[in-house]
């Protein structure tokens, strides 16, 4: 670890009057470009810290089933957390993409079982799929995101996969977005673009901290 921490810029290429869809795309582009700057070593360290942070969240400590995700290389890494949850006996569900981005889930049984079916696609478990409604089993959903703001507005990859999946959630289940620290935006001056279908998240976890949102 270097002793000097350089503040990471927080891009906000949103111009008044811009269409919401365009504003989302500009933000995704700017934030993705910044994500590419982390080394493999920094990513591995970040994944360990993220596991410590997420394991400290009371809703996660109490959960019997967590719907998580298997990270692609630029996303906050999840493997240390997935293994810790599994070792504690928590059921861990991971997304499985069906045809046309259909939303399905399967159990995580260890990293040996994860396979990237095509370059750029998230790794997926090889076991039996459980159906779209399996998300109802989850007490907590850890949702990958590109950014989140203090109201709980989440900016995702742009497929609408999570917005649709979260409509099947059991009432009372908690949704926690996972991002890097500089991707948490203060809605007072840099609100993220919001559309009708966007489902707000309850909290955000980063590699350095977590907090409740909205309220
Ligand atoms: N790790 C992870 N899993 C996730 C999501 C996510 O954001 N992150 N999703 C959140 O919604 C859902 C699906 N997201 C997807 C993300 C990309 C592609 C995809 O087709 N990617 C391109 C390659 C793009 C690239 O190179 O960056 C491709 O295969 O052609 C498909 C689904 C469910 N699982
Ligand atoms: N509940 C829904 N029902 C139907 N269409 C939806 C729903 N949610 C999102 N969509 C569609 O999905 C598209 C992408 O949505 P959006 O830009 O909010 O994705 P995202 O939340 O950033 O992505 P993701 O959830 O995959 O990470 C939108 O064009 C929207 O019309």
């Amino acid at each position: 670890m270097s002793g000097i921490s350089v503040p990471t810029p927080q891009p906000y290429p949103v111009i008044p009057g811009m269409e919401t869809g365009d504003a989302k795309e500009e933000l995704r582009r700017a934030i993705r470009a910044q994500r590419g700057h982390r080394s493999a070593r920094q990513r591995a360290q970040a994944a360990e810290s993220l596991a410590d942070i997420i394991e400290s969240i009371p809703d996660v400590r109490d959960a019997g089933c967590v719907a998580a995700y298997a990270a692609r290389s630029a996303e906050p890494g999840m493997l240390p957390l997935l293994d810790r949850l599994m070792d504690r006996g928590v059921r861990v569900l991971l997304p499985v993409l069906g045809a046309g981005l259909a939303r399905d889930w399967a159990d995580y049984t260890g990293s040996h079982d994860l396979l990237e079916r095509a370059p750029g696609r998230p790794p997926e478990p090889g076991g039996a799929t459980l159906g779209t409604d399996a998300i109802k089993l989850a007490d907590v959903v850890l949702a990958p995101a590109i950014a989140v703001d203090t109201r709980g507005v989440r900016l995702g990859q742009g497929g609408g996969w999570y917005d649709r999946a979260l409509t099947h959630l059991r009432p009372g289940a908690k949704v926690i977005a996972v991002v890097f620290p500089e991707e948490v935006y203060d809605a007072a001056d840099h609100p993220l673009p919001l559309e009708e279908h966007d489902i707000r998240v309850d909290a955000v976890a980063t590699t350095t901290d977590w907090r409740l949102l909205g309220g």
Side-chain angles (χ1 to χ4, degrees):
M1 283 261 280
S2 104
I4 305 164
S5 90
V6 179
T8 314
Q10 192 169 52
Y12 193 69
V14 179
I15 298 161
M18 198 181 242
E19 291 214 17
T20 312
D22 293 342
K24 284 187 168 183
E25 259 325 298
E26 289 296 327
L27 273 162
R28 287 189 187 105
R29 206 193 328 266
I31 297 169
R32 281 192 184 120
Q34 191 159 284
R35 279 191 166 180
H37 296 154
R38 283 185 173 81
S39 68
R41 184 155 168 270
Q42 285 171 324
R43 291 203 306 263
Q45 278 173 349
E48 289 292 342
S49 318
L50 182 64
D52 291 340
I53 299 284
I54 294 180
E55 283 270 78
S56 77
I57 301 175
D59 282 312
V60 175
R61 288 231 66 91
D62 294 343
C65 177
V66 173
Y69 67 94
R72 296 185 292 159
S73 63
E75 293 176 319
M78 292 296 272
L79 282 181
L81 176 72
L82 301 183
D83 286 334
R84 289 192 213 178
L85 290 170
M86 189 179 66
D87 291 347
R88 279 205 289 118
V90 177
R91 185 170 190 184
V92 178
L93 305 178
L94 295 178
V96 174
L97 270 62
L101 297 190
R103 289 154 301 284
D104 211 332
W105 300 88
D107 283 289
Y108 177 67
T109 58
S111 59
H112 63 273
D113 186 41
L114 292 179
L115 186 66
E116 199 176 283
R117 284 196 290 177
R121 282 185 66 151
E124 294 181 3
T129 55
L130 305 166
T132 307
D133 269 349
I135 196 174
K136 287 197 188 341
L137 299 167
D139 302 305
V140 171
V141 178
L142 300 172
I146 291 195
V148 67
D149 77 17
T150 47
R151 297 170 297 174
V153 175
R154 167 185 169 275
L155 178 71
Q157 293 294 338
W161 200 95
Y162 269 92
D163 286 318
R164 277 176 268 231
L166 294 175
T167 61
H168 300 274
L169 212 56
R170 179 175 60 72
K174 295 291 190 296
V175 184
I176 304 173
V178 182
V179 295
F180 289 106
E182 67 276 12
E183 295 162 354
V184 182
Y185 281 72
D186 187 347
D189 45 36
H190 288 152
L192 292 179
L194 175 63
E195 292 176 284
E196 195 93 335
H197 61 257
D198 284 316
I199 294 185
R200 299 202 196 191
V201 300
D202 300 295
V204 60
T206 76
T207 54
T208 56
D209 213 348
W210 75 275
R211 58 175 287 185
L212 295 173
L213 299 171

